[in-house]
Amino acid sequence: MSDSTVKLHYDIDAEDFTTAGEASSGVKKTLTRLGVNPELIKRISIAMYEAEINAVIHANGGFADVEITPEMVKVVISDNGPGIPCVEDAMKPGWSTASNLVREMGFGAGMGLPNMKRYTDEMCVESEVGVGTKITLIVYLNR
Amino acid sequence: MLKVSEIVKILDAEVLTGQENMDLEIYSGCGADLMSDVMAFVKESVILCTGLVNPQVVRTAEMMDIKVLCFVRGKVPGEAVIELAKEKGITVLATQQPLFICCGLLYSNGIKGRGVWN
Ligand SMILES: Nc1ncnc2c1ncn2[C@@H]1O[C@H](COP(=O)(O)OP(=O)(O)OP(=O)(O)O)[C@@H](O)[C@H]1O
Ligand SMILES: [Mg+2]
């Protein structure tokens, strides 16, 4: 990998559910091209994809900002959606407010946030009701 | 372990894309209609069986490096789903069997690999 930092920005569109995941797919491609360990790519890809899907289904879309350095991959998914009233509850496996419609599309198991936690080295959830949510995910590359 | 060609026979499945991957070896499986339940377990050489037929199934497989999908209960995915799978090099099968029977058949014929929780 080169020493320089790679920065990527994506708009996460909520209009069309079929395109959800394109940001994560793009990041996965970039990490593969940079020669990052496939197991670490898998961890960051799953975590980012969960956060991207959440922005689509719970917050009407948002933004992804990704920073790749030789030491780590940092993904920030932010939105201006409704916010999470109680982050502690939302982090519990199985806890979900997803509608039946969302469930029919394959989401709403209440496992997204726990999965993000499981696959990353650091995770930070900042959320304010009526303002939005910002999820920061970090995976270190040299540990 | 089963080869994809054996899975096709066991499930009486149709190959929608990935005819060239019939020799791929599958060690573990996953059956679910909710994608985050799939993503809770990372395994190697996996077949994902699901009744969900939208592009997010292919996206989930892509993120998890899952190379083989099987749509169950006679569900037929749209052309866009098959195209996306083709683009990602993911083999897609379709069977009339319901999910439970599908998983049972694969398990009893030799796909017994377990995922790792944590
Ligand atoms: N970006 C967000 N904006 C608003 N609420 C959110 C956001 N992300 C998560 N939530 C809330 O937290 C709950 C739990 O999220 P989590 O991702 O764990 O489960 P889920 O999205 O409901 O289902 P799954 O991720 O298993 O498909 C959601 O149901 C929702 O109420
Ligand atoms: Mg979620």
Side-chain angles (χ1 to χ4, degrees), chain A residues 17 25 28 49 105-106 119, chain B residues 35-36 39-40 54 56 62 65:
Chain A
F17 179 69
S25 180
K28 186 169 199 236
Y49 178 59
M105 295 190 301
Y119 293 123
Chain B
M35 292 302 108
S36 296
M39 288 186 279
N54 67 36
Q56 298 311 330
E62 177 192 0
D65 300 321

Side-chain angles (χ1 to χ4, degrees), chain A residues 50-51 53-54 57-58 107-113 116, chain B residues 36:
Chain A
E50 290 279 20
I53 291 285
N54 275 0
I57 63 180
H58 302 300
F107 292 89
M111 292 306 292
L113 289 166
M116 291 176 223
Chain B
S36 296

Side-chain angles (χ1 to χ4, degrees), chain A residues 5-141:
Chain A
T5 300
V6 176
K7 286 188 182 181
L8 304 165
H9 174 86
Y10 299 86
D11 288 343
I12 301 171
D13 192 3
E15 294 298 302
D16 184 2
F17 179 69
T18 62
T19 62
E22 278 185 352
S24 304
S25 180
V27 169
K28 186 169 199 236
K29 264 187 216 131
T30 303
L31 292 173
T32 305
R33 190 165 45 77
L34 291 170
V36 173
N37 174 328
E39 281 313 304
L40 297 178
I41 295 180
K42 198 187 290 187
R43 284 172 47 197
I44 199 79
S45 301
I46 295 173
M48 178 176 174
Y49 178 59
E50 290 279 20
E52 186 180 353
I53 291 285
N54 275 0
V56 172
I57 63 180
H58 302 300
N60 203 30
F63 310 96
D65 286 281
V66 182
E67 219 180 284
I68 306 165
T69 71
E71 287 79 38
M72 65 171 188
V73 180
K74 179 176 166 188
V75 176
V76 178
I77 307 277
S78 50
D79 66 61
N80 304 312
I84 305 173
C86 178
V87 173
E88 200 190 326
D89 279 345
M91 288 296 300
K92 289 179 189 151
W95 201 93
S96 175
T97 61
S99 65
N100 280 336
L101 189 69
V102 165
R103 226 160 258 135
E104 275 164 28
M105 295 190 301
F107 292 89
M111 292 306 292
L113 289 166
N115 283 350
M116 291 176 223
K117 178 105 196 142
R118 176 175 314 125
Y119 293 123
T120 56
D121 293 312
E122 280 175 43
M123 174 189 183
C124 173
V125 183
E126 295 158 87
S127 192
E128 201 178 323
V129 172
V131 178
T133 301
K134 182 175 157 188
I135 309 274
T136 305
L137 306 165
I138 296 176
V139 169
Y140 293 105
L141 302 179

Side-chain angles (χ1 to χ4, degrees), chain B:
Chain B
M1 187 278 285
L2 287 175
K3 286 194 176 185
V4 176
S5 56
E6 298 173 293
I7 293 173
V8 168
K9 269 191 213 126
I10 290 163
L11 300 180
D12 192 16
E14 196 183 331
V15 183
L16 302 183
T17 179
Q19 191 66 59
E20 66 280 11
N21 299 324
M22 290 302 113
D23 284 337
L24 213 66
E25 296 179 344
I26 300 296
Y27 290 85
S28 52
C30 181
D33 286 350
L34 290 175
M35 292 302 108
S36 296
D37 280 337
V38 176
M39 288 186 279
F41 295 91
V42 164
K43 307 177 191 183
E44 297 302 320
S45 310
V46 185
I47 180 168
L48 166 59
C49 302
T50 182
L52 192 72
V53 285
N54 67 36
Q56 298 311 330
V57 176
V58 180
R59 288 275 180 227
T60 301
E62 177 192 0
M63 299 308 154
M64 299 194 73
D65 300 321
I66 292 176
K67 299 278 177 250
V68 184
L69 291 177
C70 182
F71 294 115
V72 304
R73 304 195 282 274
K75 295 273 179 88
V76 182
E79 201 47 50
V81 173
I82 297 173
E83 277 310 310
L84 188 63
K86 213 179 268 177
E87 186 190 316
K88 306 292 175 194
I90 295 169
T91 300
V92 181
L93 314 178
T95 175
Q96 297 294 325
Q97 302 284 7
L99 186 56
F100 181 78
I101 303 289
C102 202
C103 296
L105 283 170
L106 294 180
Y107 188 86
S108 57
N109 278 283
I111 298 188
K112 302 199 175 177
R114 280 175 181 278
V116 270
W117 180 273
N118 262 331

